[in-house]
Amino acid sequence: MKGLLGTFEHQLDEKNRIRIPAKFLEVFKNEYANEALYFVMYNRNRVAMMSESVLHSKLAILGEVLPNDEEGSDAISRLYGSIEDVNKDGQGRAIIPKLHRREASIEKEVVTVGMGNYIEIWAKEVRAAQIDSMTLSEANKKAYARLQTQKGV
């Protein structure tokens, strides 16, 4: 499987559309059989774009929250309420919803990052401040430490 990998810098156009990099469109087309795509806000400062099957797999665990769990239900309501369809035009452009642009501080300059089975869209200056100062060695150590924590090691 060819994953969604790499980083691209570009700009929103005057209609707040993002041009989805052709490399990413090809993977969405070939690996995800042209499934519907969705914008999702689940981490601060970034907008995720993912196929329907990836979205369902990531959200599946949330379906286990009991309806009487008010805090959990509130969180799910906020998350599910922020999910929007990606409507691409013939040139691979899509309008990032206003809510998503505001939450991610996206105004003009953007960075699109492949995350394996989905992509993230960042405001260039936000990503620079939050991520780009981290060395690759530090990123590897932090990712490995998170993995160990999640596995309970």
Side-chain angles (χ1 to χ4, degrees):
M1 178 168 132
K2 183 177 182 182
L4 296 159
L5 305 170
T7 303
F8 298 88
E9 293 184 7
H10 39 116
Q11 297 181 339
L12 295 182
D13 68 11
E14 66 282 347
K15 295 181 181 178
N16 292 313
R17 294 178 298 195
I18 184 173
R19 182 178 300 279
I20 304 165
K23 177 181 175 182
F24 292 158
L25 283 175
E26 180 181 328
V27 174
F28 282 129
K29 178 182 174 186
N30 295 330
E31 299 297 326
Y32 298 102
N34 271 335
E35 290 179 28
L37 297 176
Y38 295 90
F39 287 117
V40 183
M41 291 291 304
Y42 66 89
N43 270 326
R44 69 183 175 98
N45 298 329
R46 65 200 91 177
V47 179
M49 179 189 290
M50 59 187 67
S51 69
E52 186 170 14
S53 62
V54 172
L55 175 63
H56 285 297
S57 71
K58 292 191 180 301
L59 296 179
I61 194 168
L62 298 180
E64 297 177 18
V65 172
L66 296 174
N68 65 343
D69 176 352
E70 188 172 348
E71 186 175 312
S73 293
D74 288 351
I76 290 170
S77 177
R78 177 71 168 110
L79 178 60
Y80 275 50
S82 74
I83 297 170
E84 297 275 345
D85 294 332
V86 173
N87 296 307
K88 301 185 307 280
D89 66 13
Q91 297 181 23
R93 297 175 300 197
I95 295 174
I96 299 176
K98 186 176 184 177
L99 166 72
H100 295 77
R101 290 192 318 269
R102 185 184 73 232
E103 293 277 333
S105 302
I106 294 172
E107 294 179 19
K108 189 72 172 168
E109 301 286 327
V110 296
V111 177
T112 307
V113 181
M115 298 293 292
N117 61 0
Y118 66 97
I119 63 175
E120 288 183 342
I121 304 162
W122 291 74
K124 183 178 179 179
E125 63 279 1
V126 173
R127 182 169 167 86
Q130 187 171 325
I131 303 288
D132 291 347
S133 63
M134 187 184 320
T135 68
L136 289 174
S137 178
E138 291 169 330
N140 277 304
K141 287 177 187 174
K142 287 180 181 189
Y144 183 76
R146 291 292 304 159
L147 179 63
Q148 296 305 311
T149 299
Q150 289 176 355
K151 288 183 173 180
V153 176

